[in-house]
């Protein structure tokens, strides 16, 4: 697994973190315990007691502190041991790792690298569930596959024509036409006009239109996508540039998706999706989410099967295709940043 | 695992392969996809897309071709990539391995070795479900054990007295008396007369008879067995040679069995059994199959337990017995042929 | 796994070993078959046939002998092969390992080391279910963790305050006060007075008392514990020495517990507990057992989680606390004895 460590990883939905209930998650093979105290503060520590390696996530919240419930060591939120029952002197190295953690855009973000470099400006600008402009559904899926395979899937949308023939169903011309891929500082931008279309099979429009979609795929593995349907001719008129969404006729939606590598063969995939308030309501959101549930299940079947084939293949090699430019650019960026670390 | 590669392996029952429904099986740790087209032709390819290693068995049949449903690469039945969506030029090495595949005797046979050596004359002469002389039931079992252990079991029928005391139940004298074992070009022949017997506990005859059974066990792991009950004295009269089945009084049956190594600790075991039309009907066939189901379950319990013991044993060693001549001859043949490859 | 081999390991409850029903257990990664014959004798052999490594525990008892039910080899209780069907001569090395086995204190004890050193005087003096003084309940639990972690748990009772806050519930002062730990030839002795207490939350006494508990933890992993409640002032009066149980006011109980290492990550934990006849009855025993069932489930959750953390930790290190004296002494003893072997 090559992943960038100096990055914010999504650890969960903030509304699922209950006060004084420690929550355990593994990110990049490191066990982390996250908890929210009565004061509303959120802390994240290495989930492993210094004494005998019991998980702190089985522990008890006491004010801002967390007590290991095996032999009672009490941890300050910075990871230092504050109490060892039956013992006056606490060794100076009695300390577990503390992770920077932030709640934003409805997600818990954990910084896995050097804490001194934890810059909140690097948190990808996802759209939170409380955003005023969008009506969003949400969920998550656990994968028995490494995160990189899910990233690769999200970096090449030509799979929609095949994997999602029965859900999103964008039709064969989608896989034939190229997308515009632009490198970003910490990711890539994907833009695609589909001209003279009546839309995906799941959401047909009355007459032919021009349809636009764009997403940024950002380190460590966050997809932020929007799009909409525009009057026929808009694509040509804009010379295939990005449109002004106020001109959209229909279909403006936003989806935030995040892929979190847990261990070598496990990952958690978080997602939200829904219409702009001017283009839909709760009913449309629920309809979109039921399509998404089906489609994300299709991805999971394909990617977990792909993982199994890879694991049975001695010296597995891929053969990049024309659509792999996004995959290649992003993985090269990951490699470069990981190497710099 | 030492196995002969230049051999036909049973991959399934032909009647279970539906038109345009790709079927996945692993043989000798290689993933293979097999499909039958609308024209009735059967194809077998490596089950792994050249692009990103997705399994082709999740793909879609299109005429004689198979399309990977991850990013849409289309494969000719010889394994060459015919289309890559969004791309004009296809790399010359865009090709997966193609396996010779034949349907015969109700089984799908896949040649795992050098395709140029795939000689259909080497397909063992099993008795198919549609054979005019026999009324056959059939089935298969998956083992959590390596195929060699199942072969070994089938190469030493003295286990019938013990493993099958409550099903086939041939009695203790069966394990005491020797069989005649003869080497064949690609296997061994096993022949055994039991004189003056009223038969196995499951199928007693009215008076004492001579009972004969013989099987060939052939590369890569196919057992073809017949036998019958003859008038008392037949064995001596023939000097213990093979009898003419038209002289059989009763009990002439045929069983075809095939052991297919999947991975290091998995195998699939295919079987059919039933009476000759002159010696039984559908009722007898069903009775025989219910005995077989019980007996093959007994084998599975013993062999999977044996596998677990072997896996817990550092440097496991066997101590061959007098009954192991068939096992020894066959495994020596496998070793010799595998070495020649 | 470092364990002492020259020791008696608990293999099961004697009353659960039925006549002529072979019982399989793995101890120290060795598969063992134990059976009781019609004469009442108990035998223990390596659970692996010399012929093809089938488990003898799937075998059939015949008098004092055990027959492998794969190909029928018959074993004498000393491990020698007495019969090989179809074969006159039996190789002199046709023999499996024989283990000394004894039933005592309601447990089956197997000696895992050099049989010549199997001294029954080394069997820890547990209290059997048929003991005249105690009314005992019993049970066992299987762990997905190595036995050493369970031993460590039993060697440091400060965990009671935390792991068992909701079951035994001895309160925080328990974890603060030190126990007296004394080395024994083959274990350690743990003694603890709690003065001026109304007892654990689960069994409050009417007024303040002095409470005493003591256990020996003996090679290979056997805990034998008693205790009781005494008049206030007894601890001081005895200068914190061991009391005379006839002076106990209430609460005299006995528990025997044994930890048997099966494989690297599995162990079986046997236990009994109950009141002295002068201090309780079947109703109290059942009440104690329902507390124990809850408490031992709490241990299992913690220890199996600890094992998972350890397995995910590269180079796991512990940081001993003041309460770890018993753990350290015992593990040092194990290391010393194992090295001598």
């Amino acid at each position: 697994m090559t992943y960038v460590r100096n990055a914010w990883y999504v650890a969960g939905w903030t509304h699922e973190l209950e006060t004084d209930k420690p929550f355990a998650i593994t990110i990049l093979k490191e066990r982390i315990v996250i908890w929210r105290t009565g004061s509303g503060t959120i802390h994240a520590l290495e989930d492993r007691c210094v004494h005998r390696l019991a998980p702190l996530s089985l522990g008890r919240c006491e004010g801002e502190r967390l007590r290991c419930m095996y032999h009672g060591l009490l941890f300050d939120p910075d990871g230092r041991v504050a109490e060892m029952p039956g013992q006056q002197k606490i060794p100076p190295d009695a300390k577990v790792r503390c992770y920077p953690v932030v709640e934003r855009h409805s997600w818990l973000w954990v910084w896995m690298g050097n804490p001194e470099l934890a810059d909140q400006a690097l948190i990808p600008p996802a759209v939170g569930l409380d955003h005023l402009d969008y009506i969003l559904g949400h969920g998550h899926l656990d994968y028995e596959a490494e995160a990189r395979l899910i990233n690769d899937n999200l970096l090449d949308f030509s799979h929609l024509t095949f994997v999602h023939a029965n859900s999103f169903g964008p039709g064969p011309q989608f896989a034939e036409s190229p997308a515009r891929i632009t490198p970003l500082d910490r990711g890539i931008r994907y833009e695609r006009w589909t001209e003279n279309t009546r839309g995906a099979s799941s959401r047909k429009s009355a007459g032919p239109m021009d349809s636009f979609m764009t997403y940024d795929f950002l380190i460590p593995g966050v997809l932020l996508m929007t799009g909409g349907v525009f009057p026929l001719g808009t694509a040509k008129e804009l010379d295939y540039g990005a449109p002004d969404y106020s001109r959209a006729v229909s279909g403006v939606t936003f989806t935030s998706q995040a892929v979190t590598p847990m261990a070598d063969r496990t990952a958690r995939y978080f997602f939200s999706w829904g219409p702009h308030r001017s283009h839909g309501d709760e009913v449309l959101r629920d309809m979109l989410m039921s399509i998404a549930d089906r489609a994300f299940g299709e991805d999971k079947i394909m990617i977990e099967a792909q993982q199994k084939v890879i694991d049975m293949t001695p010296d597995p090699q891929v053969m990049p295709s024309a659509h792999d430019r996004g995959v290649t650019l992003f993985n090269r960026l990951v490699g470069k940043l990981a190497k710099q670390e």
Side-chain angles (χ1 to χ4, degrees), chain A:
Chain A
M1 291 211 305
T2 300
Y3 293 104
V4 177
R5 298 197 64 89
N6 286 322
W8 295 97
Y9 284 82
V10 174
W13 293 101
T14 59
H15 67 274
E16 292 182 353
L17 187 67
E18 296 176 55
T19 298
D20 288 344
K21 297 234 170 137
F23 166 77
I25 188 167
T26 296
I27 303 180
L28 296 179
K29 297 199 255 188
E30 297 181 10
R31 294 181 53 109
I32 299 169
V33 55
I34 303 174
W35 77 102
R36 184 199 300 276
T37 71
S39 73
T41 315
I42 294 177
H43 304 294
L45 293 180
E46 183 183 349
D47 188 17
R48 174 171 35 222
C49 184
V50 295
H51 175 220
R52 296 206 163 268
L53 300 91
L56 302 182
S57 51
L58 290 182
R60 184 170 68 199
C61 297
E62 301 187 0
E64 295 300 313
R65 291 163 158 176
L66 182 61
R67 188 181 293 279
C68 177
M69 285 303 273
Y70 197 174
H71 300 96
L73 279 72
L74 185 66
F75 289 83
D76 278 330
D78 67 355
R80 271 174 223 283
V81 175
E83 273 183 36
M84 286 179 83
Q87 188 166 334
Q88 294 307 317
K89 213 182 143 197
I90 293 167
D93 57 340
K95 190 176 183 325
V96 295
R97 183 169 171 190
C98 173
Y99 294 86
V101 59
V102 170
E103 61 182 323
R104 188 169 298 172
H105 314 310
S106 303
W107 276 333
L108 297 165
W109 302 85
V110 173
W111 179 264
M112 295 301 295
N114 180 348
E116 294 179 8
L117 304 178
D119 179 359
Q120 296 193 17
L122 294 176
I123 296 176
V127 166
L129 302 181
D130 54 353
H131 196 285
L132 295 178
D133 292 345
Y134 291 94
I135 304 170
L136 301 172
H138 74 285
H140 81 263
L141 272 180
D142 277 357
Y143 268 75
E144 298 282 331
E146 67 166 308
R148 193 184 59 77
L149 296 185
I150 312 174
N151 289 350
D152 289 354
N153 176 62
L154 295 171
L155 284 156
D156 175 6
F157 263 43
S158 75
H159 80 269
L160 265 68
T161 299
F162 305 102
V163 177
H164 304 309
N166 298 316
S167 52
F168 295 135
Q173 76 281 16
F174 186 88
E176 291 297 335
S177 62
R180 183 193 299 191
I181 311 274
T182 323
L184 304 174
D185 271 4
R186 285 179 69 88
I188 62 118
R189 178 160 295 166
Y190 177 107
E191 292 168 298
R192 177 199 286 269
W193 277 102
T194 312
E195 294 174 85
N196 193 18
T197 176
R198 294 186 56 201
S201 59
S202 57
R203 289 178 291 151
K204 287 247 175 280
S205 55
M209 300 282 178
D210 284 358
S211 171
F212 181 71
M213 61 179 289
T214 182
Y215 63 78
D216 289 355
F217 195 83
L218 302 169
I219 297 284
V222 176
L223 176 142
L224 306 175
M225 177 162 81
T226 187
V229 176
F230 295 83
L232 195 62
T234 306
K236 275 217 176 64
E237 181 194 319
L238 296 176
D239 198 17
Y240 302 96
D244 175 352
Y245 282 89
S246 66
R247 291 181 57 197
V249 181
S250 71
V252 175
T253 65
F254 201 97
T255 176
S256 305
Q257 304 181 11
V259 181
T260 298
M262 298 201 291
D264 285 336
R265 290 291 175 271
T266 53
R268 193 160 287 169
Y269 171 52
F270 300 92
F271 54 86
S272 67
W273 193 25
H276 193 280
R277 287 193 182 276
S278 318
H279 294 268
D281 53 13
E282 280 73 12
V283 173
L284 179 58
R285 177 201 59 196
D286 292 347
M287 197 268 273
L288 294 179
M289 285 310 290
S290 80
I291 296 172
D293 284 343
R294 176 165 190 173
F296 297 161
E298 292 165 341
D299 286 319
K300 184 170 147 80
I301 287 169
M302 182 59 78
I303 291 168
E304 291 182 345
Q306 179 195 16
Q307 179 74 72
K308 279 192 193 134
V309 176
I310 289 171
D311 289 344
M312 287 182 65
T313 306
D315 188 26
Q317 301 291 340
V318 302
M319 178 182 282
S321 80
H323 283 304
D324 278 328
R325 195 169 123 77
V327 179
T328 305
L329 280 178
F330 186 81
N331 285 332
R332 200 179 291 157
L333 176 64
V334 168
K336 194 186 79 178
L337 294 177
K339 203 173 165 188
Q340 285 170 4
E341 292 175 359

